[in-house]
Amino acid sequence: MPVLHNQISNEELKARMLAETEPRTTVSFYKYFTLDDPKAFRDALYLAFKAEQVFGRVYVAKEGINAQISVPQSRFEAFKQALFASHPALDQVRLNIALEDDGKSFWVLRMKVRERIVADGIEDESFDPSQVGEYLKADQVNQMIDDPDTLFVDMRNHYEYEVGHFENALEVPSDTFREQLPMAVEMLQDQKDKNIVMYCTGGIRCEKASAYMLHHGFKNIYHVEGGIIEYTRRAREQGLPLKFIGKNFVFDERMGERISDDVIAQCHQCGEPCDSHTNCKNDGCHLLFIQCPRCAAAYEGCCSALCQEELKLPPEEQRARRAGRENGNKIFNKSKGLLRPRLQIPAPDSEA
């Protein structure tokens, strides 16, 4: 029986990826459709992707698929054909090609079966995710963004919104999509007469959010087709003015794609204009935060002097310090002044 998971260390896999000379293309995609046997589908797709040397993160559930991957350029057409042939619902599925891409976004293929392809916390069995709002293409987005009777609502996490968003978009201030859905319904109760446009990185969250809003009685619900990635690509192709300012946060090693030259965030350590996310170098922390080059040098890539000190200790003493403490993996929430436990590079919620 073929091996259906990785058996090589992350360190070796990353070194192999960095040594590759062939360019890779970073691509994301998702699709809501019904899978009767997610595990069988996952196993077959894993073998097909492995044959084409695909790296990345793929989630499969009864409600569909959500993927962020990289593919060798010489194998891209073969990858597409394998994907399109894997299920009738995936034939010609939209692929969001990365806007900025050095091909070093992933170094291993991880494919998992989950309860949902995006964690939403919805337990209402009457909710139908297929009943979605109206898609908006790039030119329609630009037309509606200047309409005083239209609200743009960002369905991404606060650290994504912080570095870039559509002009005058409403933030739903939360760390997770599952928290945002009921918050959005509550925040917008008095705006039901307006057009409401939901958006996210690649479309998966805002599509489900649009269905959730319709489920709760809202009428004029829209969402940006393909999210920020597809909007930006089409706007550039068509010579349209970009209405998204700043950087688009992405869930891979790049952590961001530059959309406009505007830098709208600040270094979390000194307050200087900066929109570059990083993880604290201290293995006992790995805080996700914004750090400018000057602070990166001063703190040696750490989020604080305490972490900088701990990083220099012998490994045994570092482990002893961490023992018994609630540690690691946080996201800095500047708006709330909190350090909140989370994942290193936040796994979606993840976005296609």
Side-chain angles (χ1 to χ4, degrees), residues 1-284:
M1 182 175 179
V3 176
L4 300 179
H5 58 85
N6 171 59
Q7 294 183 305
I8 304 172
S9 71
N10 282 336
E11 292 75 13
E12 182 176 346
L13 288 167
K14 189 170 185 177
R16 289 183 184 183
M17 179 271 291
L18 292 173
E20 285 186 352
T21 57
E22 180 179 357
R24 283 179 167 266
T25 298
T26 299
V27 59
S28 58
F29 64 90
Y30 74 93
K31 182 74 173 182
Y32 289 106
F33 65 103
T34 301
L35 275 171
D36 294 328
D37 190 344
K39 185 180 185 305
F41 175 81
R42 176 265 178 205
D43 290 350
L45 193 63
Y46 182 92
L47 291 174
F49 278 11
K50 186 178 180 183
E52 303 307 334
Q53 299 179 18
V54 172
F55 297 157
R57 181 193 301 119
V58 183
Y59 295 136
V60 175
K62 288 186 176 181
E63 68 173 0
I65 187 170
N66 177 21
Q68 301 86 43
I69 59 176
S70 77
V71 186
Q73 288 186 3
S74 65
R75 296 175 177 265
F76 196 78
E77 286 303 315
F79 147 74
K80 284 203 306 182
Q81 294 310 311
L83 174 63
F84 294 166
S86 66
H87 193 282
L90 294 176
D91 185 28
Q92 304 302 314
V93 65
R94 184 185 62 246
L95 302 177
N96 286 333
I97 307 297
L99 301 171
E100 291 183 348
D101 190 11
D102 61 3
K104 307 299 182 182
S105 50
F106 299 99
W107 62 84
V108 64
L109 177 60
R110 302 191 191 281
M111 191 176 295
K112 298 181 179 181
V113 175
R114 302 178 75 183
E115 284 297 313
R116 306 282 177 86
I117 57 174
V118 59
D120 55 32
I122 299 172
E123 297 181 359
D124 185 349
E125 293 185 1
S126 68
F127 172 68
D128 184 354
S130 69
Q131 299 301 308
V132 300
E134 184 176 338
Y135 290 105
L136 293 180
K137 298 188 181 299
D139 59 336
Q140 296 170 312
V141 170
N142 282 9
Q143 291 168 16
M144 293 190 74
I145 205 165
D146 296 322
D147 181 355
D149 292 324
T150 298
L151 288 177
F152 273 67
V153 182
D154 195 313
M155 294 307 298
R156 301 172 303 151
N157 303 322
H158 76 89
Y159 52 88
E160 300 173 78
Y161 180 93
E162 185 177 8
V163 296
H165 48 256
F166 277 103
E167 296 173 1
N168 303 316
L170 177 67
E171 178 186 10
V172 184
S174 175
D175 293 343
T176 67
F177 182 61
R178 68 171 62 230
E179 293 174 348
Q180 283 183 317
L181 287 171
M183 287 175 66
V185 169
E186 183 179 354
M187 290 172 61
L188 297 170
Q189 279 298 321
D190 296 334
Q191 308 289 340
K192 284 192 172 182
D193 59 329
K194 292 195 173 185
N195 300 317
I196 296 175
V197 178
M198 328 291 288
Y199 74 88
C200 58
T201 305
I204 188 169
R205 287 177 282 182
C206 53
E207 181 166 324
K208 181 167 281 188
S210 74
Y212 192 78
M213 300 299 284
L214 290 170
H215 182 69
H216 282 81
F218 290 78
K219 302 299 182 185
N220 304 315
I221 300 296
Y222 304 82
H223 55 114
V224 177
E225 184 176 14
I228 298 161
I229 296 174
E230 182 70 5
Y231 164 80
T232 302
R233 179 176 305 285
R234 296 303 181 189
R236 287 173 175 170
E237 288 176 354
Q238 297 168 30
L240 302 173
L242 284 171
K243 298 295 184 177
F244 186 96
I245 55 174
K247 181 183 281 189
N248 179 33
F249 185 95
V250 292
F251 291 90
D252 59 49
E253 287 295 296
R254 298 168 299 151
M255 291 197 195
E257 298 176 319
R258 174 66 57 196
I259 306 297
S260 78
D261 292 333
D262 307 272
V263 177
I264 63 174
Q266 295 81 39
C267 174
H268 288 159
Q269 290 174 310
C270 71
E272 287 296 309
C274 180
D275 57 9
S276 296
H277 279 98
T278 189
N279 287 111
C280 178
K281 297 295 184 185
N282 179 12
D283 287 337

